[in-house]
Amino acid sequence: MKILAVDDDEIALELLTESLKSIGYSDITVATSGLSALEEIDAATRPFDYFLLDIQMPEMDGIELCQRIRRMASYKTSPIIMITAMSDRSFVDAAFSAGATDYVTKPFDTLELSARVRMAENLVRETRVSTNNVFAVQSLKAKVEDALRFSIGDAITIEDVPGMIGKLAMENYLLQLSRGKVYQSIAIGFAIVEIETIFSRSSPTEMLYTLTDVADAIADSLKQSNYLLTYCGSGKFVCVADRGSRAISPDLEIAIQLSIEEMEIAYDSGAPCEITIAMGEPVTSSLWSSGNATQLMESALISAEDKRRALQLEAAGVSVSKTKKGFMKAG
Amino acid sequence: MDSFEADKRQQLDRAIMNIREKFLLNIDDRIALFDDLLAQIETGEDMEDALKQISANAHKISGVARTLGFADLGLMTSKIETDFGKALAGTLSENTVSPLISQVEEMLDHLVSLSSGNRA
């Protein structure tokens, strides 16, 4: 595994390097600023497998560096672990939003570092397998489609949508939130109605574009809020935002639907692709909730699924009782 | 812990001891830097910049101090960083800056004692 570690403090870099060596990693390149990190990336004859970036650095901080690495085609899905002191917690949201996969706190605990790095290593291996598959068959378009093929339940990565992060990153984000911060957060699930039909009629590329359009519509309707969004597979998305966000209202579903309709999404054949979005009840957590923060996400998904089923039954002419409006409690 | 793990742990402990030595060797430079920044505050010359720099340098120390075996220094610098951050987010006045300077002076005394202990 080839690692690039970036920190403006040389002592911290040495500690990080030695800690990584002690858990079996020796191919480590270090940089003491964002700019020199970018130079190392440019000069690398073999790409880095993943990155460890300090958040607080002068001139270019770790968040900007993370964004710039993510913009590079070779590193769109590479694990980026942010290094943060406990007092940097306010920056952690911004880091996940910039594309970070995970974070580790300073001072380093070698056990924690080891767990985080091993998780990143697994991610690298999975990505490498799928990338190799793509390269092996890229000579023919049909074969590329084959390589891109994914199952309806796969939580595929959707790129270039503001606030969109991977499902693993969203889970990591939720798990690092303090109980107070979880209490201040709200999760909402969204589900595409009749996703099975749309999925079966679409090529993998078409499906990816459709999901990206829906993610864009959700992001656009939330643009005045602080939020993170992720795709969880099966046409379902989850957004986590500040509890007080004005965009989180019953009108949000209508706003997203209007935005989708304006896009006039169509299949490659030209036939319109009718997308209806089902928004679940907003889910909040009690301060005394015993479950972990990812339950917020699970509850939001369940609520969106319930709403989707109700809409599908309604469309099929089956009468269903309306669900009670208001915030659900997770867990 | 098997012997391989134990070897690795010992190797890491030795490396940390070397880094600790290096930290102690350079401690006078850190003291001088904080002294200069405190002097900058006293002259009133770009006080906000001096406060930000103190906070950033305290941040650096707090990130490594505990691992190097300086738990008290870690706590002091972490508190400086937090309190400076809060002060910088509000309006700066003598009332808000004075206690911050006292905190830095206390931390400097601690650094000086570490430096003297290292020379002894």
Side-chain angles (χ1 to χ4, degrees):
Chain A
M1 288 286 142
K2 188 177 175 186
I3 304 170
L4 177 61
V6 190
D7 197 311
D8 63 315
D9 185 55
E10 286 185 18
I11 295 277
L13 263 185
E14 279 188 48
L15 278 175
L16 181 59
T17 306
E18 292 301 336
S19 301
L20 287 168
K21 280 184 189 166
S22 77
I23 52 174
Y25 297 93
S26 54
D27 193 356
I28 307 157
T29 304
V30 297
T32 53
S33 71
L35 283 176
S36 59
L38 291 174
E39 284 167 11
E40 291 288 353
I41 293 170
D42 274 347
T45 47
R46 188 164 56 86
F48 291 98
D49 290 308
Y50 59 91
F51 301 88
L52 286 150
L53 313 179
D54 185 34
I55 291 188
Q56 272 187 281
M57 294 189 288
E59 293 162 11
M60 186 191 299
D61 65 19
I63 293 166
E64 188 187 341
L65 178 59
C66 178
Q67 276 171 335
R68 292 179 71 158
I69 294 172
R70 275 284 175 256
R71 277 190 221 130
M72 299 176 193
S74 332
Y75 298 119
K76 277 196 180 300
T77 57
S78 307
I80 300 180
I81 301 175
M82 306 305 289
I83 307 165
T84 168
M86 291 308 281
S87 54
D88 289 342
R89 296 295 281 251
S90 56
F91 297 118
V92 171
D93 288 16
F96 276 104
S97 192
T101 319
D102 204 352
Y103 82 105
V104 61
T105 51
K106 277 199 285 195
F108 306 119
D109 174 294
T110 43
L111 278 179
E112 187 199 355
L113 184 67
S114 174
R116 300 291 185 195
V117 169
R118 299 244 183 265
M119 198 160 76
E121 188 178 337
N122 289 339
L123 203 60
V124 171
R125 285 217 178 91
E126 284 168 21
T127 310
R128 204 172 270 169
V129 168
S130 84
T131 310
N132 287 344
N133 287 345
V134 172
F135 284 137
V137 293
Q138 68 183 1
S139 54
L140 291 167
K141 184 176 180 290
K143 286 189 176 177
V144 171
E145 284 283 334
D146 255 3
L148 288 174
R149 199 165 293 283
F150 53 91
S151 305
I152 190 166
D154 289 348
I156 55 163
T157 306
I158 295 175
E159 291 166 0
D160 302 325
V161 175
M164 192 87 199
I165 61 176
K167 187 167 176 252
L168 175 69
M170 178 68 98
E171 285 166 355
N172 284 333
Y173 167 73
L174 287 170
L175 289 170
Q176 60 81 36
L177 291 178
S178 65
R179 188 168 287 204
K181 191 76 198 287
V182 174
Y183 175 70
Q184 287 162 19
S185 301
I186 189 165
I188 307 178
F190 305 93
I192 299 172
V193 177
E194 300 293 355
I195 184 69
E196 291 84 0
T197 311
I198 296 165
F199 189 85
S200 64
R201 285 189 65 181
S202 303
S203 69
T205 317
E206 278 178 288
M207 194 65 236
L208 182 60
Y209 287 152
T210 301
L211 291 171
T212 306
D213 284 344
V214 171
D216 254 332
I218 297 171
D220 190 53
S221 305
L222 288 165
K223 65 185 170 203
Q224 285 170 331
S225 311
N226 289 327
Y227 70 93
L228 289 173
L229 180 66
T230 193
Y231 179 64
C232 303
S234 303
K236 288 188 277 191
F237 297 81
V238 169
C239 143
V240 176
D242 292 340
R243 202 170 189 158
S245 300
R246 267 186 283 169
I248 312 296
S249 73
D251 293 340
L252 177 60
E253 188 177 38
I254 298 166
I256 295 169
Q257 191 62 48
L258 283 174
S259 182
I260 289 171
E261 280 163 22
E262 277 171 16
M263 289 175 177
E264 296 181 350
I265 300 170
Y267 295 103
D268 283 354
S269 64
C273 175
E274 304 285 354
I275 303 277
T276 304
I277 204 84
M279 182 174 105
E281 297 296 332
V283 180
T284 58
S285 168
S286 149
L287 261 180
W288 297 275
S289 168
S290 54
N292 75 37
T294 54
Q295 261 183 352
L296 205 64
M297 192 168 150
E298 294 306 320
S299 302
L301 285 172
I302 291 168
S303 178
E305 183 61 53
D306 289 347
K307 179 76 180 290
R308 169 160 70 185
R309 281 203 193 122
L311 287 176
Q312 288 178 177
L313 287 171
E314 262 182 19
V318 180
S319 147
V320 283
S321 60
K322 295 274 180 201
T323 50
K324 199 170 68 178
K325 288 279 173 201
F327 287 3
M328 279 173 61
K329 293 280 180 206
Chain B
M1 193 187 289
D2 61 29
S3 65
F4 179 75
E5 289 284 312
D7 281 353
K8 286 277 181 193
R9 185 66 235 183
Q10 274 184 359
Q11 209 178 323
L12 177 62
D13 288 344
R14 274 197 301 274
I16 289 175
M17 285 312 290
N18 289 336
I19 299 168
R20 181 189 159 101
E21 287 301 312
K22 193 169 166 183
F23 179 87
L24 287 169
L25 274 177
N26 294 326
I27 214 163
D28 289 342
D29 293 341
R30 293 189 194 256
I31 293 170
L33 177 66
F34 280 111
D35 277 339
D36 287 350
L37 291 167
L38 284 181
Q40 192 177 323
I41 293 173
E42 270 173 33
T43 59
E45 183 194 328
D46 206 350
M47 185 192 288
E48 194 176 327
D49 174 64
L51 293 173
K52 279 182 185 166
Q53 284 197 55
I54 289 176
S55 178
N57 282 286
H59 169 80
K60 282 187 184 182
I61 297 176
S62 78
V64 298
R66 206 179 69 197
T67 315
L68 297 178
F70 307 121
D72 289 348
L73 182 63
L75 287 174
M76 279 180 191
T77 45
S78 175
K79 185 160 176 8
I80 287 174
E81 194 197 350
T82 309
D83 292 352
F84 273 55
K86 281 182 195 158
L88 283 162
T91 312
L92 295 174
S93 69
E94 201 180 325
N95 283 343
T96 55
V97 174
S98 287
L100 300 179
I101 292 174
S102 304
Q103 274 179 265
V104 179
E105 284 169 344
E106 193 189 336
M107 186 265 295
L108 281 175
D109 287 344
H110 195 82
L111 284 178
V112 169
S113 70
L114 288 177
S115 173
S116 316
N118 188 45
R119 274 194 291 266

